[in-house]
Amino acid sequence: MENTHSYSKTHQKTFDLILTSMLIALVFVSTAFLNIRLPIASNGGLVHLGTAMLFTASILFGPKKGALAGALGMAIFDIIGGWLLWAPITFVSRAVQGYIVGKIAWSRDRKGKSIAFNLLATIISMPPMIGIYFIGEGIIYGNWITPLLSIPGDIVQNVLGVIIALPICVALKKTPYFMK
């Protein structure tokens, strides 16, 4: 009996590692290949679908997996996509954002099943994400005016993420895997 128990614990840890890795890859691919560079900010700005996948991961799988998927998926993109200077800011802001979304969506054993709380979670996660980027950009540029130009793009990216992620989550929550 003990062997079965340790096997299932090992199996679960392996499954969690694989799932988290796949979520990181999904965020990375959605950031790297589904994006539009904005001509409004001095750094160009980037609107991508990685935020939608961060929201999806956090709502479907909770705060830890959502935080890791967002932080690592988007920071890896920054590192290999020519935005190296932004990687630490991205890592922190997206970890915080993913954790907030997952924590609220999974509060009181909801497990991401409440559309209202999922929407609330995504909305509440936006100001901290935008604020962390604002502070990071302020440090990088040495002023607090230039970072203001990035806020409209951040808002568009987050709103687009919500519009895409919430219907995906509703549909996936109806599948047998999530109905357990």
Side-chain angles (χ1 to χ4, degrees):
M1 199 73 165
E2 248 179 81
N3 277 344
T4 306
H5 179 67
S6 66
Y7 170 78
S8 74
K9 267 186 160 179
T10 303
H11 183 266
Q12 185 61 44
K13 285 182 181 182
T14 303
F15 178 78
D16 282 347
L17 179 64
I18 292 167
L19 178 60
T20 304
S21 300
M22 290 175 65
L23 293 171
I24 292 165
L26 182 63
V27 171
F28 169 77
V29 168
S30 298
T31 305
F33 299 109
L34 302 170
N35 66 59
I36 300 168
R37 199 174 294 252
L38 297 176
I40 57 172
S42 61
N43 65 358
L46 194 68
V47 173
H48 54 75
L49 296 188
T51 303
M53 296 306 107
L54 176 151
F55 290 156
T56 302
S58 298
I59 290 167
L60 294 179
F61 299 104
K64 290 179 185 175
K65 285 182 179 65
L68 285 170
L72 290 171
M74 289 188 220
I76 292 168
F77 165 76
D78 283 352
I79 291 167
I80 66 172
W83 303 78
L84 182 61
L85 191 57
W86 301 99
I89 300 164
T90 295
F91 184 88
V92 172
S93 68
R94 297 316 185 134
V96 168
Q97 187 171 36
Y99 188 81
I100 289 169
V101 172
K103 196 70 174 169
I104 294 170
W106 280 60
S107 65
R108 294 195 172 182
D109 204 34
R110 285 185 185 87
K111 296 183 180 175
K113 294 178 183 172
S114 167
I115 296 170
F117 271 84
N118 296 346
L119 177 60
L120 180 66
T122 58
I123 292 168
I124 288 173
S125 78
M126 292 179 201
M129 173 265 180
I130 293 168
I132 292 167
Y133 271 110
F134 180 84
I135 292 166
E137 288 183 53
I139 293 167
I140 288 171
Y141 293 123
N143 71 70
W144 302 106
I145 303 301
T146 304
L148 293 172
L149 297 173
S150 296
I151 293 174
D154 290 341
I155 293 169
V156 168
Q157 181 171 284
N158 277 277
V159 169
L160 184 63
V162 170
I163 291 169
I164 293 168
L166 290 184
I168 289 172
C169 292
V170 167
L172 288 174
K173 284 291 184 181
K174 293 178 182 176
T175 64
Y177 178 84
F178 292 102
M179 294 180 79
K180 312 179 207 178

